[in-house]
Amino acid sequence: MAPRKSPLFDTATTVGKIMSFLGVSALCGILAAGLIFPLAATGGAAAAAGSDILDEIPAELEEAPLSTPSVMLDSEGNEIAEFYEENREPVALDEISQTMQDAILAIEDERFYEHGGVDARGVGRALAHNLTRPTQQGASTITQQYVNNVLNNAVTITGEGQYTISGINEKTYGDKLREMKLSVAVEQEMTKEEILEGYLNIVLLGGRNYGVEAAAQSYWGIPASELDVAQSAVLAGMVQSPNAYNPRANPDASLYRRNTVIETMERNGFISADEAEEARNSDLDLVEDTGESAGCINATAAPYFCDYVTKLFLEDEQFGETWEDRENLLNRGGLRIETTLDPNLQIAAEDEVYDNVETGHESGAVGTMTTIENSTGNVLAMAQSTDYHTDDDGAAGRTTMNFNTDFQYGDSGGFPVGSTLKPFVSAAWIEEGGSMDDVIDASTDEYEQGHRFEASCREGGSVRLLDDGGWNITNVIEELDGEDTTVDFGLYYSLNTATAATAADMDLCAINDLIERSGLNLPGDQDGYPDFTETISAIIGGVEMSPMTLAEGYTAFAQDGERCDNRAILSVTDAQGNEYPGQDVSCHQAFDAEVAAQVNDTLVNNAEDIPDGQAPFPMLGKTGTSNNGTNTWFAGSTEGLTTVSHVGTWASQSEQDILYDETFGGTFYEEQLYGGTLAAPMWYDYMSSVADAYPTGDFAEARNSPFDERRENRYWPYSLAQGPDGGNGGSDNGDDDDDDDD
């Protein structure tokens, strides 16, 4: 590649013409004779030209913040992951071994403590070499190299151009002049110790390791303060060519260069002959290469949560105008990103999903679990039974797709939610003036093509069922077919015919409105919220949503109708102590407290039917099973937490993916799985172990509700006048959905 042309030497300028006239040899003579400062030593026109040149070169080194890794932390301050382009851990000079300091001085700048930033003897030596031999030799002092690295760091941080890392062949003479003048200025502002410390913290030492502390940790697993002669010589030798002398990539070349440094240290009196001999006879003794630790792929915990937080950060314009700016800040800004993740809940959630749905399960099933704090929306846990991995090798259970979140944050299109949607239909019914005690015709299992449903938001105030063949509905609990029932018992037994009848007797637009206020959006690759005036059959759960979205919606039942947006970032602080605001707590009233209380009468009974014995604290929730049993759910809450547990197939939604004749958690399930078979017990075991770390008080329930009395007597309410043969249907934990997925 041709060297970059410096504007200082553009022949269209006066200075450029002078420099063209003087030629390269004259320039080298100026540099060698007078070290540039002052150039009057050369006399005459050359001195005047040199002064003009220097006037055009900035005299102050403008330092950008040193590129340092960012760290993501959980709510207790434990590290989740690091992010960096340059793996660097700055340390004070007294935290760097004396042998390391000596090694770098010996091989790079033996007269460091004698010159004022530019070494006249070194310039002369390089000049003589370059004029008489085909190879080129540099004469940069440690101060010049420090200036060069600072300039390179500055343009990398700002993105304005790129300064060369090292090597006289890679620089124009204008670059060299600028570097020399700045070096002299730096020597006037900083002590030698400060310059040496800065240099040893900024220099590249192979791969993405910058500075001696990061390099010492990477190659030998020790701090820079413990580097011995041989190790110090390896690192000092790498400065000339960080990749060519990388001890892992090129061990033979590294040993050769190391021994050169050792000989130089001995010649300059830094070590004795015996110390040199011992160091030359030592092996490299590198620690195992564990690879670079940057990014969520190397997260110590919660890689999918880490991925979610990273995407939240990169889309937030407070961290930069463009995606590239924000990514640059994340990888170079030394940020401290504090998150909402509760490590205890995260461990418990991961244990639960992995214990029940093994990674790469032969059925294609994946287990997920998301927990949100009701009062804040804080995401406390996010787990799924897959390995977070970027390799596209076709291995089962390895993916970076985040099944807990919407498409824009995890590339997942969500899953059909089944009967977990039904409580929101009941809530809309109550808002429209109804009651959970209202009797509805749950015997209707078919709506003919052309049947009209009320829809005030549509032209004409209604919509017609256009599906060819109409809408045929089935219930899993067939014994309950053909009966009228109350809204609450329809929800409790999760009857599709009851939910359809509820929707048929009300305004579909009211359901749409409540769904939107509850934040139950489509997964993100689609637009907005479900519209049941267009796809009426989806009212019984045939609509895809993410576990996170469903969890946010259920927080409203747990706290008197108030719903909170999910929140994962508490605060961000950069290396200079500048603070960026995290995500605010954002809650709103999705529906009235009395609406939540009436629906909770049913949801509390649903949840407390899960355990064989008494529930350890109040809880509410609802099961769900999608069409053909490809996805199973339990969404529910305690006073403090809402968790959504999900087990389902994600590769496709065909009948061959029905979850039956499969083993989960060591148990073989011969028949089809439902929400109450696996997802609900997973939810219960997990919540029973973690929920008491947060409030577990009672929920507000409707006043004078007859639900408990009817349920206690175990009869089908509307058939009492006809005798006990109305049947109780048998509580099957609500796992009855055979939802239409249209």
Side-chain angles (χ1 to χ4, degrees), residues 156-178:
T156 302
I157 292 293
T158 62
E160 297 176 359
Q162 178 66 44
Y163 199 72
T164 54
I165 293 177
S166 63
I168 193 168
N169 288 332
E170 299 175 1
K171 299 176 186 177
T172 67
Y173 291 109
D175 290 334
K176 197 70 178 175
L177 281 170
R178 181 188 186 201

Side-chain angles (χ1 to χ4, degrees), residues 358-638:
E358 65 184 35
T359 300
H361 196 280
E362 61 183 1
S363 68
V366 61
T368 65
M369 192 166 283
T370 301
T371 299
I372 292 178
E373 185 178 28
N374 296 329
S375 60
T376 62
N378 288 353
V379 181
L380 304 177
M382 181 183 290
Q384 69 184 51
S385 62
T386 56
D387 288 337
Y388 185 88
H389 213 288
T390 56
D391 285 351
D392 186 18
D393 58 4
R398 299 173 72 174
T399 181
T400 56
M401 290 179 67
N402 189 342
F403 299 119
N404 285 282
T405 62
D406 284 347
F407 184 83
Q408 70 185 106
Y409 299 113
D411 297 325
S412 171
F415 306 93
V417 296
S419 291
T420 57
L421 190 68
K422 292 177 179 177
F424 298 94
V425 178
S426 298
W429 172 268
I430 298 169
E431 278 195 340
E432 288 290 278
S435 166
M436 295 296 284
D437 300 329
D438 291 340
V439 175
I440 53 175
D441 180 7
S443 64
T444 302
D445 59 6
E446 180 181 3
Y447 293 85
E448 296 181 353
Q449 182 178 356
H451 182 94
R452 285 198 171 272
F453 294 83
E454 182 183 353
S456 61
C457 56
R458 298 290 293 273
E459 185 177 354
S462 66
V463 292
R464 288 190 306 120
L465 182 63
L466 300 178
D467 290 349
D468 186 22
W471 181 20
N472 297 304
I473 309 165
T474 59
N475 296 315
V476 169
I477 307 178
E478 296 179 357
E479 293 86 349
L480 301 183
D481 288 345
E483 297 285 351
D484 291 348
T485 186
T486 54
V487 175
D488 57 5
F489 260 47
L491 177 61
Y492 175 74
Y493 287 109
S494 202
L495 296 178
N496 291 332
T497 55
T499 302
T502 303
D505 286 349
M506 65 180 296
D507 187 348
L508 294 179
C509 297
I511 303 175
N512 283 357
D513 184 50
L514 186 134
I515 289 290
E516 184 170 347
R517 280 184 275 121
S518 300
L520 298 181
N521 58 278
L522 296 170
D525 58 341
Q526 305 175 56
D527 184 25
Y529 298 87
D531 186 351
F532 299 110
T533 67
E534 292 188 355
T535 310
I536 299 166
S537 57
I539 208 76
I540 56 176
V543 60
E544 288 89 6
M545 292 178 184
S546 70
M548 177 84 79
T549 294
L550 200 58
E552 289 174 285
Y554 267 76
T555 62
F557 293 114
Q559 49 181 10
D560 300 330
E562 185 181 62
R563 172 208 177 274
C564 295
D565 296 338
N566 83 78
R567 175 175 179 250
I569 300 176
L570 294 175
S571 66
V572 178
T573 307
D574 68 19
Q576 287 69 49
N578 301 311
E579 294 186 6
Y580 300 82
Q583 294 174 286
D584 293 332
V585 174
S586 178
C587 304
H588 69 271
Q589 200 71 26
F591 40 81
D592 288 344
E594 181 59 24
V595 173
Q598 287 201 45
V599 178
N600 284 354
D601 280 356
T602 308
L603 297 183
V604 167
N605 281 284
N606 273 133
E608 294 184 356
D609 267 358
I610 297 173
D612 294 332
Q614 181 69 32
F617 29 69
M619 52 181 61
L620 62 80
K622 182 71 186 73
T623 53
T625 309
S626 68
N627 188 40
N628 292 326
T630 55
N631 287 275
T632 67
W633 301 80
F634 191 86
S637 309
T638 59

Side-chain angles (χ1 to χ4, degrees), residues 118-342:
V118 180
D119 184 2
R121 195 185 308 176
V123 171
R125 184 192 64 245
L127 174 62
H129 177 96
N130 295 344
L131 290 176
T132 59
R133 302 183 185 183
T135 60
Q136 296 291 295
Q137 188 179 90
S140 293
T141 65
I142 282 179
T143 307
Q144 288 174 260
Q145 292 181 50
Y146 172 63
V147 166
N148 189 55
N149 277 279
V150 169
L151 291 172
N152 189 56
N153 178 71
V155 297
T156 302
I157 292 293
T158 62
E160 297 176 359
Q162 178 66 44
Y163 199 72
T164 54
I165 293 177
S166 63
I168 193 168
N169 288 332
E170 299 175 1
K171 299 176 186 177
T172 67
Y173 291 109
D175 290 334
K176 197 70 178 175
L177 281 170
R178 181 188 186 201
E179 178 188 288
M180 287 180 169
K181 183 175 182 181
L182 290 173
S183 296
V184 173
V186 165
E187 291 266 0
Q188 295 172 350
E189 297 294 329
M190 299 173 64
T191 67
K192 288 288 188 179
E193 288 72 21
E194 288 172 338
I195 294 169
L196 183 58
E197 176 183 304
Y199 176 72
L200 290 172
N201 278 306
I202 201 171
V203 66
L204 173 62
L205 294 171
R208 287 199 283 181
N209 297 314
Y210 287 76
V212 295
E213 178 70 18
Q217 295 286 358
S218 175
Y219 298 125
W220 297 287
I222 60 173
S225 61
E226 296 179 11
L227 288 167
D228 61 23
V229 172
Q231 294 163 340
S232 298
V234 169
L235 297 185
M238 293 175 70
V239 170
Q240 186 181 79
S241 184
N243 293 323
Y245 296 127
N246 187 315
R248 284 204 175 95
N250 301 297
D252 291 340
S254 177
L255 283 171
Y256 177 82
R257 178 64 176 167
R258 180 200 70 176
N259 292 341
T260 299
V261 176
I262 292 170
E263 291 170 6
T264 306
M265 293 177 72
E266 181 186 359
R267 185 173 63 249
N268 284 278
F270 288 113
I271 56 175
S272 67
D274 290 342
E275 289 173 320
E277 184 66 18
E278 181 182 356
R280 277 192 296 268
N281 291 331
S282 66
D283 296 326
L284 287 172
D285 290 329
L286 305 176
V287 297
E288 181 182 357
D289 184 7
T290 58
E292 294 179 347
S293 60
C296 296
I297 194 71
N298 294 295
T300 57
Y304 293 99
F305 175 82
C306 174
D307 186 88
Y308 178 58
V309 172
T310 302
K311 289 182 170 67
L312 288 174
F313 179 94
L314 292 175
E315 72 170 14
D316 191 336
E317 293 185 358
Q318 73 166 319
F319 301 116
E321 292 185 2
T322 67
W323 182 279
E324 290 75 17
D325 291 340
R326 299 187 285 271
E327 190 171 44
N328 198 36
L329 178 62
L330 177 64
N331 290 327
R332 298 179 180 275
L335 305 178
R336 178 184 174 91
I337 304 171
E338 298 182 9
T339 73
T340 59
L341 189 77
D342 184 320

Side-chain angles (χ1 to χ4, degrees), residues 634-651:
F634 191 86
S637 309
T638 59
E639 182 189 8
L641 305 177
T642 291
T643 293
V644 169
S645 172
H646 164 259
V647 178
T649 55
W650 59 279

Side-chain angles (χ1 to χ4, degrees), residues 8-9 36-37 50-60 173-182:
L8 279 174
F9 294 88
I36 302 181
F37 309 104
S51 297
D52 290 341
I53 294 170
L54 294 178
D55 288 341
E56 295 193 19
I57 301 175
E60 293 184 4
Y173 291 109
D175 290 334
K176 197 70 178 175
L177 281 170
R178 181 188 186 201
E179 178 188 288
M180 287 180 169
K181 183 175 182 181
L182 290 173

